[in-house]
């Protein structure tokens, strides 16, 4: 029976998505107002529609939550049932549990419909389902009375199913199906409040940028599959020793394009901060445990192929080094709390990519697990704060620790894990990544320059992470309260000023996520390098201390002023978006306008010109054939006269 658990885990949220879209508003009742008993039939219709909307939302919540809970239970059984072990988040030896459901004959390399759970996929499945369950429960309170909540919860279920398909797939093309469905769902969820043009633009940007990387990802799959004679992951990895270095470098570099797009790494990272326009629970789901984690998961899944491609690891190391430090500096200058966490996500994912480049999939996956817990916690806490204050901006926050004690404690745990302070989970996982980078300096497949750049940027990022996390913590919860009562927002907006900390449906997931954020580091075997751990803690405390000193001097001023002239470039994320706009967006828009103009003037002009010529000629003919007898007689006499004159002159 356990061999079908991966399939059931994938199908449960898929069925929930279909049921949520089709059944949450069924049956559609249209009450007929009693005009004699009620003086205002329009008001009756409005009240009835509001009551029907609440019933639909409640039905959609149950449809979404229960299957996700069952899928979580199956994922937990697959991860910690008989025959599986969890060691530092790593893939330990053990037979995979799964089943093949058929083969699609393509005329070339066949596609195997196989779902399986080994130790890597089973542990990631737990992370995905538990975070998805927390987000579903949290969204009940966050999007209360939202008229499009049924479709929102259904898309989350579809997103969860797609990510589980990526995690449990045993064939690269089956994996790619889930990979693309995730991209579609992210577009739909980021643009949930599509009435705001900024939200719709952010959704389109995320879709296009990730699709750009997916083109390379698909061709990388083709190269590996054709070289191995099979798209089955176990067969591909078994054929890696027989592949040429050129094939492996080409395939892994193409795969790296998709990884950069999904995991928001340089140079395809610009979509992630803009995606903060979507609802905060979606930020927690996409940016903590699922979509952005998929890229790191792919590298870990195909790690033997990447290990055999030395140049690819060097490229990955350079990309990770630039991404982790650049994103951390950008986070230090942001005023939007969600954008701080978004740039933090880019930086932490670069840590994982750096661990993979350094040759340790164990450390990278372990940090992926702990990051999924504490970053989901931070996003959900940020949602509670935003729901309370009515704004994303930290300039309108402050002094919230007294009003929101539960959120304050939970977010403190999340920031401690992000900074890597003991005993929070991030301390142990980040130490493992730093140890791997330290080891790459003396041994490993990286060149000396790439290894040195990676380790140096990682240490600098540790200090900057302590700085931006401390800044966000102080500006949100300490100092004088700066919140002001805002006018009631437009319908469909979850940001509502409230005197309460948050509904229970929002606080319960926050409290439960705080437990793994604090204690998950103790779940595996602890292998601390005291020297590296001490350096990491000292750098973190140094960065935090500098920010605290600047804040203490003037609690009303932004500690980001310590950046000096670098503050504006950091706030604008080093103007990468502006550079892309100048190099790609504006030239493409100009070319598209030229094409439209050419089509309008040349192609359509030729068509319209031929039409005008035909109409002009028909006008001349119509003048000659207008049915006027006098004109006909005059023409006849004129013709006879011309003939007579011509005859006389020629004779």
């Amino acid at each position: 029976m356990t061999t079908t658990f991966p399939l059931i885990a994938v199908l449960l949220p898929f069925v929930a998505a279909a049921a949520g879209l089709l059944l949450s508003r069924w049956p559609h009742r249209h009450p007929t107002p009693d005009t004699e008993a009620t003086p205002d039939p329009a008001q009756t219709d409005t009240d009835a529609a509001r009551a029907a909307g609440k019933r639909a939302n409640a039905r959609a919540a149950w449809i979404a939550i229960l299957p996700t809970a069952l899928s979580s239970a199956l994922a937990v059984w697959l991860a910690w049932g008989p025959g599986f072990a969890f060691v530092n988040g790593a893939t330990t030896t053990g037979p995979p549990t799964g089943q093949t459901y058929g083969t699609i004959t393509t005329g070339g390399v066949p596609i195997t419909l196989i779902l399986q759970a080994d130790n890597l996929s089973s542990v990631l499945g737990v992370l995905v389902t538990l975070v998805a369950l927390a987000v579903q429960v949290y969204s009940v309170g966050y999007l209360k009375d939202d008229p499009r909540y049924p479709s929102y919860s259904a898309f989350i279920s579809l997103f969860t199913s797609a990510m589980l398909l990526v995690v449990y797939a045993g064939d690269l093309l089956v994996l790619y199906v889930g990979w693309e469905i995730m991209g579609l769902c992210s577009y739909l969820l980021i643009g949930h409040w599509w009435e705001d043009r900024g939200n719709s633009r952010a959704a389109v940007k995320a879709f296009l940028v990730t699709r750009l990387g997916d083109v390379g990802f698909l061709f990388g799959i083709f190269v590996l599959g054709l070289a191995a004679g099979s798209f089955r992951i176990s067969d591909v990895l078994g054929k890696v020793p027989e592949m040429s270095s050129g094939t492996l470098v080409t395939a892994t570099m193409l795969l790296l394009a998709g990884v950069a797009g999904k995991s928001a790494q340089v140079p395809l990272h610009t979509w992630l901060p803009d995606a903060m326009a979507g609802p905060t629970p979606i930020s927690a789901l996409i940016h903590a445990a699922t979509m952005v984690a998929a890229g790191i998961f792919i590298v870990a899944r195909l790690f033997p192929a990447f290990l055999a491609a030395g140049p690819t690891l060097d490229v990955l190391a350079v990309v990770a080094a630039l991404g982790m430090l650049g994103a951390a500096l950008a986070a230090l200058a942001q005023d939007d709390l969600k954008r701080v966490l978004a740039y933090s996500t880019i930086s932490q994912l670069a840590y994982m990519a750096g661990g993979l480049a350094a040759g340790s999939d164990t450390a990278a996956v372990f940090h992926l697990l702990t990051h999924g817990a504490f970053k989901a916690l931070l996003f959900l806490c940020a949602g509670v704060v935003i729901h309370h204050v009515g704004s994303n901006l930290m300039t309108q926050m402050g002094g919230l620790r007294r009003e929101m004690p539960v959120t304050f404690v939970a977010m403190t745990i999340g920031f401690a894990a992000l900074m890597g302070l003991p005993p929070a989970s991030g301390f142990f996982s980040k130490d493992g990544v730093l140890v791997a980078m330290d080891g790459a300096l003396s041994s490993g497949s990286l060149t000396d320059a790439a290894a040195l750049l990676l380790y140096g940027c990682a240490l600098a990022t540790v200090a900057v992470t302590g700085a931006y996390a401390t800044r966000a913590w102080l500006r949100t919860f300490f100092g004088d309260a700066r919140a002001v009562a805002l006018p009631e927002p437009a319908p469909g907006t979850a940001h509502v000023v409230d005197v309460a900390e948050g509904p229970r449906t929002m606080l319960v997931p926050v409290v439960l996520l705080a437990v793994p954020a604090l204690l998950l580091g103790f779940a595996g075997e602890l292998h601390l390098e005291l020297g590296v751990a001490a350096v990491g803690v000292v750098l973190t405390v140094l960065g935090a201390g500098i920010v605290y000193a600047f804040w203490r001097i003037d609690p009303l001023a932004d500690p980001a002023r310590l950046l000096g002239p670098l503050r504006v470039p950091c706030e604008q994320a080093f103007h990468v978006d502006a550079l892309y706009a100048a190099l790609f967006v504006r030239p493409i828009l100009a070319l598209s306008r030229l094409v439209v103009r050419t089509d309008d003037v040349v192609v359509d002009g030729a068509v319209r010109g031929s039409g005008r010529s035909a109409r002009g000629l028909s006008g001349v003919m119509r003048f000659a054939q207008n049915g006027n007898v006098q004109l006909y007689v005059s023409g006849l006499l004129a013709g006879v006269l011309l003939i007579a004159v011509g005859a006389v002159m020629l004779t």
Side-chain angles (χ1 to χ4, degrees):
M1 180 63 181
T2 56
T3 58
T4 62
F5 277 8
L7 176 63
I8 298 173
V10 172
L11 287 180
L12 279 172
F14 179 81
V15 172
L21 289 174
L22 299 176
L23 302 179
S24 60
R25 299 186 185 277
W26 183 87
H28 298 277
R29 296 190 179 93
H30 301 282
T32 302
D34 186 354
T35 55
E36 295 182 358
T38 305
D40 189 357
Q43 182 63 37
T44 301
D45 287 343
T46 302
D47 294 341
R50 186 178 294 110
K54 289 183 177 180
R55 289 194 300 270
N57 287 4
R59 191 180 299 118
W62 285 111
I63 291 173
I65 291 172
L66 288 180
T68 306
L70 292 174
S71 186
S72 301
L74 293 177
V76 170
W77 174 261
L78 287 171
W80 288 290
F84 289 96
F86 178 73
V87 180
N88 278 348
T91 56
T92 59
T93 57
T97 296
Q99 188 172 340
T100 302
Y101 298 95
T103 301
I104 299 176
T105 303
T106 62
V109 181
I111 303 172
T112 306
L113 303 179
I114 179 173
L115 296 177
Q116 64 182 30
D118 57 13
N119 287 287
L120 173 62
S121 60
S122 60
V123 173
L124 263 295
V126 173
L127 175 66
V128 170
T129 53
L130 290 183
V131 172
L133 179 60
V135 168
Q136 289 281 23
V137 174
Y138 182 95
S139 299
V140 173
Y142 192 84
L143 292 174
K144 183 181 179 182
D145 298 330
D146 190 296
R148 290 195 295 273
Y149 172 79
S151 61
Y152 165 89
S153 62
F155 291 144
I156 292 180
S157 296
L158 183 60
F159 194 109
T160 306
S161 178
M163 184 61 193
L164 289 175
L165 183 60
V166 170
V167 168
Y168 291 131
D171 187 278
L172 288 175
L173 287 180
V174 174
L175 180 151
Y176 186 74
V177 173
W179 184 274
E180 289 301 320
I181 294 175
M182 276 198 304
L184 172 63
C185 291
S186 70
Y187 164 77
L188 296 171
L189 290 169
I190 293 170
H192 175 71
W193 292 320
W194 49 264
E195 298 92 339
D196 188 330
R197 188 172 180 83
N199 292 0
S200 59
R201 283 179 176 270
V204 171
K205 182 177 182 179
F207 185 81
L208 293 179
V209 173
T210 54
R211 293 293 75 69
L212 181 63
D214 290 349
V215 173
F217 186 78
L218 180 59
F219 280 101
I221 289 176
F222 287 155
V223 172
L224 278 181
L226 293 175
S230 172
F231 290 113
R232 192 164 178 163
I233 294 176
S234 58
D235 295 341
V236 169
L237 296 181
K239 293 286 187 179
V240 165
E242 304 174 14
M243 296 182 190
S244 66
S245 59
T247 299
L248 287 172
V249 171
T250 301
T252 52
M253 289 292 287
L254 288 170
L255 290 173
L256 206 58
V259 170
K262 275 290 191 290
S263 291
Q265 294 300 289
V266 176
L268 302 179
H269 64 287
T270 56
W271 67 269
L272 188 63
D274 290 347
M276 295 297 101
T280 300
I282 296 308
S283 302
L285 183 67
I286 294 177
H287 308 144
T290 53
M291 182 168 166
V292 295
I296 303 301
F297 169 78
I298 289 300
V299 179
R301 167 62 80 198
L302 301 175
F303 197 55
F306 281 85
L307 276 181
T312 302
L313 290 183
D314 284 336
V315 172
L316 183 60
V318 173
V319 166
L322 297 177
M324 67 174 70
L325 184 56
L329 289 171
L332 183 57
Q334 303 301 311
D335 187 41
D336 188 319
L337 181 58
K338 288 175 65 176
R339 289 181 73 89
V340 171
L341 298 179
Y343 281 110
S344 170
T345 299
I346 297 174
S347 180
Q348 294 301 306
L349 289 168
Y351 260 112
M352 303 168 205
L356 291 167
S360 178
D361 59 334
T362 299
V365 171
F366 189 30
H367 194 51
L368 176 63
L369 293 176
T370 60
H371 175 266
F374 67 71
K375 189 54 65 68
L377 172 65
L378 286 172
F379 270 113
L380 295 187
C381 287
V384 178
V385 170
I386 292 167
H387 194 277
H388 176 81
V389 175
S391 173
N392 292 18
L393 303 180
M394 290 186 289
T395 52
Q396 298 184 14
M397 301 176 188
L400 295 177
R401 69 185 188 280
R402 302 180 187 89
E403 303 174 28
M404 312 177 71
V406 176
T407 305
F408 169 65
V409 173
M411 205 162 189
T412 301
I413 293 173
F415 278 131
L418 172 63
M419 296 164 66
L421 294 177
S425 60
F427 167 73
F428 300 99
S429 59
K430 186 178 291 186
D431 176 73
V433 173
L434 290 176
V435 168
M437 295 178 184
D438 182 64
L441 290 173
S442 56
S443 62
S445 55
L446 291 179
T447 60
D448 293 341
L452 184 61
L453 175 66
L454 179 63
Y455 193 43
C457 288
L459 293 178
T461 305
V462 170
V464 180
T465 301
Y468 73 70
T470 302
R471 170 180 173 264
W473 184 63
L474 291 172
R475 299 199 74 204
T476 302
F477 294 106
F478 291 86
D480 297 329
R482 294 185 291 270
V484 294
L486 300 178
E488 187 69 17
T493 303
H495 304 162
V496 179
V497 176
D498 198 353
V499 296
E501 181 165 27
R504 188 173 300 176
T505 53
M506 295 171 65
L507 291 182
V508 169
V510 164
V511 173
L512 293 179
L513 278 173
V515 176
L518 180 63
L519 302 177
L520 188 59
F522 296 99
E525 295 180 2
L526 304 180
H527 297 289
L528 287 178
E529 292 284 344
L530 294 181
V532 175
V535 170
V537 172
V538 169
L539 289 174
T540 299
V541 173
L542 178 63
I546 292 174
V547 166
Y548 178 77
F550 273 79
W551 177 82
R552 190 68 178 174
I553 293 172
D554 186 0
L556 295 180
D558 190 347
R561 65 186 187 278
L562 65 89
L563 290 170
L566 286 177
R567 181 174 180 178
V568 173
C570 290
E571 188 176 7
Q572 297 297 321
F574 305 101
H575 304 285
V576 175
D577 266 319
L579 178 64
Y580 286 173
L583 292 179
F584 303 109
V585 177
R586 284 197 287 271
I588 290 175
L589 289 177
L591 179 62
S592 66
R593 285 192 290 268
L594 177 62
V595 171
V596 170
R597 182 66 177 169
T598 301
D599 179 71
D600 182 62
V601 174
V602 178
V603 180
D604 290 348
V607 175
R608 288 192 296 266
S610 62
R612 284 194 295 267
S613 299
R615 290 182 61 186
L617 181 61
S618 67
V620 174
M621 298 298 295
R622 183 177 59 205
F623 178 75
Q625 300 290 332
N626 61 0
N628 190 331
V629 177
Q630 293 177 339
L631 180 64
Y632 294 165
V633 172
S634 300
L636 177 63
L637 293 177
V640 170
L641 180 61
L642 288 174
I643 293 171
V645 171
V648 170
M649 294 179 63
L650 293 175
T651 57

